[in-house]
């Protein structure tokens, strides 16, 4: 069996001692991504049900956000 696990990327043989693998072939590691943390925090504000359907949360560089905000304010001011 050469299939790779879609979640962790390992193959069964790597763990199976009968197949030449090692039960302790890998060591788990934990890390925190500030971007993923910010996205998870923002998702808490997405409403459940129809009002939240299709809502996507992503990251936008601050410089782009500020440029868009200034452009929107300028456009609204001209109306």
């Amino acid at each position: 069996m050469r299939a790779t696990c879609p979640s962790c990327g390992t193959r069964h043989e790597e763990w199976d001692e009968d197949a030449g693998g090692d039960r302790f072939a890998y060591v788990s590691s934990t890390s925190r991504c500030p971007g993923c943390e910010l996205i998870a925090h923002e998702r808490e504000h997405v409403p459940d049900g129809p009002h939240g359907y299709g809502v996507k949360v992503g990251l936008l560089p601050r410089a782009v956000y500020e440029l868009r905000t200034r452009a929107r304010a300028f456009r609204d001011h001209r109306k």
Side-chain angles (χ1 to χ4, degrees):
M1 178 180 195
R2 291 303 233 172
T4 302
C5 174
S7 295
C8 70
T10 66
R11 293 185 323 275
H12 179 75
E13 294 80 17
E14 294 178 283
W15 302 98
D16 185 357
E17 293 174 351
D18 292 336
D22 181 353
R23 175 72 182 104
F24 302 99
Y26 290 84
V27 177
S28 62
S29 174
T30 302
S31 63
R32 181 181 301 266
C33 172
C36 292
E37 184 177 1
L38 184 60
I39 288 171
H41 176 73
E42 190 63 29
R43 280 192 186 126
E44 292 178 1
H45 301 285
V46 175
D48 292 330
H51 293 292
Y53 291 175
V55 173
K56 305 261 189 271
V57 178
L59 297 175
L60 189 63
R62 182 171 295 280
V64 173
Y65 170 80
E66 290 173 354
L67 184 63
R68 288 182 180 180
T69 301
R70 285 193 299 271
R72 191 177 308 117
F74 179 75
R75 201 172 45 248
D76 291 347
H77 179 72
R78 292 183 60 196
K79 288 183 180 180

